[in-house]
């Protein structure tokens, strides 16, 4: 005789409290974070908040106020500083100088660094010497760079004019002065991009070149169809880093020529410093800083968008 089948009694359910699934509330989770290395990163987080987050927040607040360097007689004016900045011709001139400098130096850095890396990678003798010679200027402080290039650009007894046997107004005319700033910056900073390209070249497998040579590809075809595609990621990285660094250019231009002649090479960072620490208008300087900051954010987001699109196309 078959025993009667009875429905199984439902298992008792327990009411779930917020945070019960992972074994505790926010306080318990915070405790586990510090048990698993949180104390090791706590000093960094403290310094990060003190020197990055707090200046960002306080700068945004200053940009909404008319305040001076001493912080007295502060008046909340909302977006007044931003409206003044958008109508300030000197601010646009300084921003234009910065963009012109960026447009000139960025392609020069990429092409020169790639050429120097190819030379240092393929040369047979004295590799260490060429690598040191190309990278060493990057280690110099900006004050040393400025003093060196001021002597080189000296119109009457400078090395460049004596070598050319012609009196070139390196720092005396606007277009020549901007070109002089670009030339000095190229010599000073190309070593960093050179190092990135050199590391990328050393990571390319040799069998790719050997197979291409067996197929009859010459040196130019091997470079165009193997080397250039293999360093494409590094090229994109160098482009973005150089654009971001150029948008913040200040010290070498100020130390060599103080943004002259007639402010024709004055970058926007120098204009911000002059407004904040010479004109004592901290609020107005903060507003211009945030305009430049937004420009840098746009460049960064554009870079991320391009990288994401390229990765999706590869898939």
């Amino acid at each position: 005789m078959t025993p009667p089948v009875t429905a199984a009694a439902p298992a008792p359910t327990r009411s779930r409290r917020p945070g019960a699934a992972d074994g505790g509330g926010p306080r318990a989770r915070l405790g586990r974070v510090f048990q698993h290395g949180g104390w090791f990163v706590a000093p960094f987080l403290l310094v990060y908040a003190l020197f990055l987050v707090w200046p960002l927040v306080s700068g945004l607040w200053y940009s909404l106020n008319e305040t001076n360097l001493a912080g007295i007689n502060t008046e909340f004016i909302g977006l007044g500083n931003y409206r003044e900045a958008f109508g300030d011709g000197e601010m646009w001139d300084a921003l234009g100088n910065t963009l012109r400098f960026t447009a000139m130096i960025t392609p020069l850095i990429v092409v020169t660094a790639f050429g120097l890396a190819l030379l240092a990678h393929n040369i047979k003798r004295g590799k260490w010497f060429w690598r040191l010679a190309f990278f060493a200027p990057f280690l110099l402080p900006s004050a040393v760079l400025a003093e060196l290039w001021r002597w080189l650009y000296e119109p009457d007894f400078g090395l460049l004019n004596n070598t050319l046997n012609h009196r070139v107004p390196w720092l005396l005319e606007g277009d020549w002065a901007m070109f002089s700033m670009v030339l000095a910056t190229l010599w000073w900073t190309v070593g960093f991009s050179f190092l990135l390209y050199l590391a990328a070249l050393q990571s390319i497998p040799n069998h790719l070149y050997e197979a291409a040579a067996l197929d009859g590809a010459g040196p130019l075809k091997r470079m165009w169809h193997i080397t250039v595609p293999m360093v494409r990621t590094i090229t994109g990285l160098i482009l973005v880093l150089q654009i971001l660094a150029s948008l913040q250019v200040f010290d070498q231009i100020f130390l060599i020529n103080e943004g002259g002649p007639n402010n024709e090479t004055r970058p926007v960072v120098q204009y911000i410093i002059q407004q904040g620490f010479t004109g004592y208008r901290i609020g107005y300087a903060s507003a211009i800083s945030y305009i430049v900051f937004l420009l840098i954010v746009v460049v960064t987001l554009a870079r991320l968008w391009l990288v994401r699109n390229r990765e999706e196309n590869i898939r």
Side-chain angles (χ1 to χ4, degrees):
M1 182 177 179
T2 304
V5 178
T6 56
T13 58
R14 300 175 60 184
S15 61
R16 296 182 62 185
R17 293 179 292 104
D22 50 2
R27 190 172 181 180
R29 286 197 295 271
L30 183 62
R32 285 196 298 275
V33 166
F34 280 97
Q35 286 177 357
H36 292 85
W39 288 112
F40 289 99
V41 297
F44 167 76
L45 292 177
L46 179 62
V47 173
Y48 182 82
L50 186 61
F51 291 101
L52 189 64
V53 177
W54 173 245
L56 279 174
V57 175
S58 61
L60 181 61
W61 172 250
Y62 284 140
S63 71
L64 303 175
N65 290 271
E66 181 63 45
T67 182
N68 53 30
L69 191 61
I72 57 176
N73 298 326
T74 299
E75 179 187 1
F76 182 80
I77 59 172
L79 298 177
N81 284 326
Y82 292 92
R83 284 194 292 269
E84 182 181 348
F86 283 115
D88 186 353
E90 290 191 56
M91 193 279 287
W92 287 113
D93 289 340
L95 187 58
N97 291 334
T98 302
L99 295 177
R100 189 155 59 107
F101 175 84
T102 303
M104 293 173 69
I105 189 65
T106 302
L108 280 177
I109 286 279
V110 172
V111 173
T112 307
F114 184 61
L116 294 179
L118 281 176
L119 178 63
H121 182 63
N122 293 309
I123 200 168
K124 300 299 181 186
R125 293 184 177 180
K127 282 190 175 184
W128 68 270
F129 171 78
W130 295 110
R131 292 174 183 178
L132 178 63
F134 296 150
F135 183 71
F138 183 71
L139 302 176
L140 294 177
S142 56
V144 175
L145 164 92
E147 192 64 28
L148 175 64
W149 283 87
R150 270 209 306 264
W151 279 96
L152 292 175
Y153 288 143
E154 180 63 36
D156 296 323
F157 52 85
L159 178 63
L160 294 179
N161 280 354
N162 281 333
T163 303
L164 297 172
N165 198 21
H166 181 69
R167 194 176 189 278
V168 178
W170 297 102
L171 302 176
L172 303 178
E173 295 181 4
D175 291 338
W176 277 108
M178 181 59 78
F179 174 75
S180 303
M181 297 303 119
V182 170
L183 187 61
T185 305
L186 174 67
W187 178 82
W188 184 33
T189 61
V190 74
F192 178 73
S193 302
F194 156 76
L195 207 61
L196 293 179
Y197 268 130
L198 187 61
L201 291 175
Q202 290 175 343
S203 66
I204 300 176
N206 282 329
H207 65 80
L208 296 179
Y209 294 106
E210 294 168 358
L214 289 176
D215 290 338
L220 287 178
K221 282 191 175 180
R222 291 200 296 270
M223 186 184 75
W224 185 252
H225 293 288
I226 297 177
T227 306
V228 172
M230 294 296 283
V231 300
R232 184 177 299 164
T233 303
I234 290 297
T235 302
L237 176 65
I238 291 174
L239 272 174
V240 172
L241 291 178
Q242 187 56 47
I243 290 173
L244 295 180
S246 300
L247 290 176
Q248 304 170 65
V249 65
F250 164 65
D251 44 357
Q252 68 266 37
I253 293 180
F254 181 77
L255 291 171
I256 292 176
N257 212 23
E258 297 184 0
N262 299 321
N263 295 328
E264 292 186 61
T265 59
R266 180 174 63 177
V268 69
V269 174
Q270 182 179 340
Y271 186 65
I272 291 171
I273 293 174
Q274 287 175 339
Q275 289 297 319
F277 297 97
T278 304
Y280 304 112
R281 298 191 63 195
I282 292 296
Y284 185 56
S286 300
I288 303 175
S289 299
Y290 264 86
I291 293 173
V292 178
F293 174 71
L294 288 178
L295 183 62
I296 293 174
V297 169
V298 168
V299 172
T300 306
L301 293 179
R303 156 70 176 165
L304 293 175
W305 180 76
L306 289 174
V307 170
R308 184 172 300 174
N309 278 354
R310 193 175 65 184
E311 290 177 348
E312 290 178 355
N313 292 333
I314 292 175
R315 292 172 187 169

